[in-house]
Amino acid sequence: MTRMEKPRIAILGAGPVGLGAAYRLVRSGTAHVVVLEQHRWVGGTSGSFDLAGVRVDYGSHRLHPVCDPDVLADIRMLLGADLLDRPRHGRIRLRGHWIHFPLKPLDLALRLPPGFALGVTGDTARKVFRRNLRSGKPETFASILEATLGRTICRDFYFPYARKLWGIAPEELETTQARRRVSVSSMPQLIWKVLSALPGLRRPGSGRFMYPRRGFGQIAEAFARAAQEGGTEIRMGATVRNVELAKNSAHTVHYEEGGILHALQADHVWSTIPITTLTRCVQPAVPAECLQAAERIEYRGMILVYLVLEQPQFTEYDGHYFPGADVPITRLSEPKNYSGGTGPCDRTVLCAELPCDPCGAEWTMSDGELGLLVCDALQKSGIPIRVPIEQVVTRRLREAYPVYRRGYEVHLGILDRYFEDVDGLLTLGRQGLFVHDNAHHALYMGYCAAACLDEQGRFDRELWRAYRRIFATHVVED
């Protein structure tokens, strides 16, 4: 690369982080960018597609008010009037009762199961009058939550939900899971979160979210379009086969498109694909220690089951949450309710989320069998489907959630240190950094990566490490 040439950046994956990085790079004019995406749509699991005339997402997604101001300003600019301001209106099934989510003081007072309320009261009192005695055992997700929120909330909500979501016992989860996945870390914080819904105490944006008129994927589509207008090339249906290193520097990406193998030379390779996949793609092969570490890093899969119903609306709620072990699904969303009723007036679509492992029995079920499983779950929960089901469609996500099993940081650290020492190679995003973040976090990561590259094509690793410390403080917004 001569002094006058712009650096060439190959970005692996057209999810929010890859598109955010591409958009910022071409807008600043600091690089030529090519994005390789194996699917035929942009956004990854933050994308959308049409089903029976309804725009649906890959699960339940919202744009939260805590989004970074620069990212939010760009989203507002790109979407304009299509970015809607919507009220949160969901509910949680708790001991057979439905409680509004986000939690509301009046709803809790009228609908909270008496036994649960007494249990929480007792847990709070015991915590006030009991000294904080340490057991001497290593802390886990389970021990931290039970010490801060009490036995009742954990045993009735967080623990069974964790077992379904990640497929292992709460005691086997690392403390990192509690920090990244639970937005309150003490009973006073939980009480304040409930009280903040009251008039006069409500924070700006509390109880609300933003959502694009044409589905959550409209955000990724807008970033992709803007990046392409700035000169980014996005190659769809391009599956990465290997990343070639020479003298410990990344310089060529080999990918397959339409059955033909291509080579893409680059000064920098930014990978948003799963870090385990990248480990197996590197040529020459990474050290055996890295391959062994990759084998010990786990992801939890998920099946999304869509039911097309012959009715204009199933319920008034945008989302239902099922923490209990008596039903297999964790969440049910109704996309039309997110966008204020956008879509045909004679049908609606439900999206049920079923966490499972790709080697499990659910993964091999037919669409019809999965539809019956969801219908049975809703029947047990007191919200049965009473109209004809026009269609059942499924989508399978092999790497939906990172699993923070105890000790995972040792294995992840081995891979992290290896890739950090490779010149021109960067791992980022939800999959690349093995984090359970929201889409707005991913966009922010892309922006930060772009900010680390100067006009001479030099990447500031120290600045990136500082950003990594910020990323570690992210907490998932439900």
Side-chain angles (χ1 to χ4, degrees):
M1 182 179 70
T2 67
R3 187 171 182 177
M4 298 301 293
E5 290 180 332
K6 294 180 182 179
R8 296 159 296 178
I9 312 293
I11 298 179
L12 314 185
V17 62
L19 294 173
Y23 169 73
R24 294 292 282 195
L25 286 169
V26 297
R27 195 173 81 165
S28 64
T30 55
H32 292 296
V33 183
V34 177
V35 180
L36 303 178
E37 171 55 51
Q38 66 173 333
H39 296 116
R40 293 293 178 182
W41 73 90
V42 297
T45 55
S46 293
S48 300
F49 62 97
D50 290 305
L51 178 58
V54 179
R55 192 72 168 162
V56 301
D57 304 329
Y58 289 88
S60 174
H61 296 281
R62 299 178 176 87
L63 183 64
H64 300 277
V66 295
C67 179
D68 174 78
D70 289 341
V71 173
L72 183 55
D74 284 343
I75 293 174
R76 290 187 186 280
M77 182 268 295
L78 292 171
L79 266 63
D82 274 355
L83 187 62
L84 309 176
D85 185 306
R86 302 287 298 149
R88 295 290 304 268
H89 190 41
R91 55 182 182 173
I92 300 172
R93 184 172 178 261
L94 192 62
R95 292 194 182 184
H97 295 247
W98 287 107
I99 311 297
H100 193 274
F101 185 77
L103 302 174
K104 293 183 176 181
L106 183 60
D107 192 67
L108 287 175
L110 296 177
R111 300 180 183 276
L112 196 65
F116 183 84
L118 287 172
V120 172
T121 302
D123 292 341
T124 305
R126 280 189 290 274
K127 186 175 181 181
V128 170
F129 293 105
R130 183 182 59 194
R131 291 183 178 180
N132 185 20
L133 300 177
R134 294 186 177 273
S135 65
K137 297 180 181 179
E139 289 187 324
T140 66
F141 171 89
S143 65
I144 286 181
L145 286 192
E146 194 158 330
T148 55
L149 297 178
R151 182 184 181 90
T152 304
I153 290 177
C154 289
R155 298 304 167 94
D156 280 52
F157 180 76
Y158 280 115
F159 289 178
Y161 199 71
R163 284 189 181 92
K164 289 202 293 186
L165 203 59
W166 295 297
I168 60 177
E171 293 78 13
E172 296 180 54
L173 289 167
E174 189 56 84
T175 58
T176 315
Q177 197 81 71
R179 186 179 73 249
R180 284 192 175 274
R181 196 64 178 79
V182 181
S183 59
V184 293
S185 58
S186 67
M187 185 59 69
Q189 281 188 18
L190 181 61
I191 294 171
W192 173 247
K193 192 168 185 177
V194 174
L195 292 177
S196 65
L198 292 171
L201 297 177
R202 186 176 294 135
R203 297 167 298 173
S206 176
R208 306 193 70 82
F209 66 100
M210 288 162 282
Y211 190 81
R213 194 183 308 275
R214 288 281 299 157
F216 196 80
Q218 190 177 354
I219 295 175
E221 292 160 7
F223 271 97
R225 187 163 51 251
Q228 287 174 310
E229 290 170 355
T232 294
E233 184 178 352
I234 301 178
R235 301 178 185 176
M236 310 300 294
T239 302
V240 174
R241 293 306 180 196
N242 66 66
V243 176
E244 187 178 342
L245 309 184
K247 297 181 180 179
N248 204 42
S249 178
H251 68 88
T252 305
V253 178
H254 297 273
Y255 67 95
E256 186 177 337
E257 183 181 4
I260 301 173
L261 195 63
H262 302 267
L264 173 65
Q265 292 188 332
D267 300 299
H268 299 268
V269 177
W270 292 1
S271 174
T272 76
I273 66 178
I275 192 169
T276 50
T277 302
L278 178 64
T279 301
R280 301 182 185 101
C281 283
V282 170
Q283 293 294 333
V286 301
E289 179 189 34
C290 292
L291 291 173
Q292 292 167 3
E295 291 297 326
R296 290 174 170 81
I297 291 175
E298 304 170 65
Y299 290 90
R300 178 72 159 163
M302 178 180 287
I303 302 176
L304 303 173
V305 186
Y306 301 89
L307 306 180
V308 181
L309 306 184
E310 295 180 2
Q311 65 184 103
Q313 186 181 49
F314 179 63
T315 72
E316 65 183 87
Y317 299 97
D318 47 45
H320 294 78
Y321 295 81
F322 305 87
D326 58 329
V327 296
I329 63 175
T330 52
R331 181 164 55 185
L332 181 82
S333 54
E334 189 168 358
K336 279 179 67 176
N337 292 348
Y338 281 51
S339 58
T342 302
C345 61
D346 60 344
R347 70 178 67 89
T348 190
V349 176
L350 304 180
C351 174
E353 300 176 23
L354 176 65
C356 58
D357 293 318
C359 58
E362 297 96 340
W363 201 261
T364 60
M365 286 183 176
S366 67
D367 287 2
E369 291 171 325
L370 289 166
L372 291 175
L373 180 150
V374 173
C375 289
D376 182 62
L378 299 183
Q379 179 77 36
K380 288 180 179 178
S381 303
I383 48 173
I385 294 175
R386 303 184 186 279
V387 300
I389 298 175
E390 185 178 300
Q391 191 178 2
V392 179
V393 173
T394 62
R395 294 289 187 271
R396 286 164 170 79
L397 311 177
R398 283 188 170 272
E399 291 142 334
Y401 297 117
V403 178
Y404 293 161
R405 189 186 290 272
R406 289 178 61 189
Y408 86 96
E409 290 175 313
V410 174
H411 311 302
L412 184 61
I414 291 172
L415 301 185
D416 207 18
R417 287 189 294 274
Y418 171 80
F419 287 121
E420 188 170 320
D421 288 338
V422 178
D423 291 336
L425 183 58
L426 183 71
T427 60
L428 69 164
R430 177 177 174 137
Q431 302 285 25
L433 294 180
F434 198 68
V435 292
H436 185 179
D437 277 357
N438 297 113
H440 67 270
H441 293 137
L443 281 165
Y444 175 68
M445 286 185 197
Y447 278 40
C448 293
C452 292
L453 188 75
D454 67 18
E455 294 180 354
Q456 284 72 45
R458 294 175 302 221
F459 189 83
D460 190 335
R461 285 281 182 178
E462 284 303 319
L463 180 57
W464 179 247
R465 292 187 190 101
Y467 281 130
R468 287 280 301 265
R469 289 191 287 272
I470 296 174
F471 303 159
T473 66
H474 289 168
V475 177
V476 175
E477 300 282 340
D478 281 318

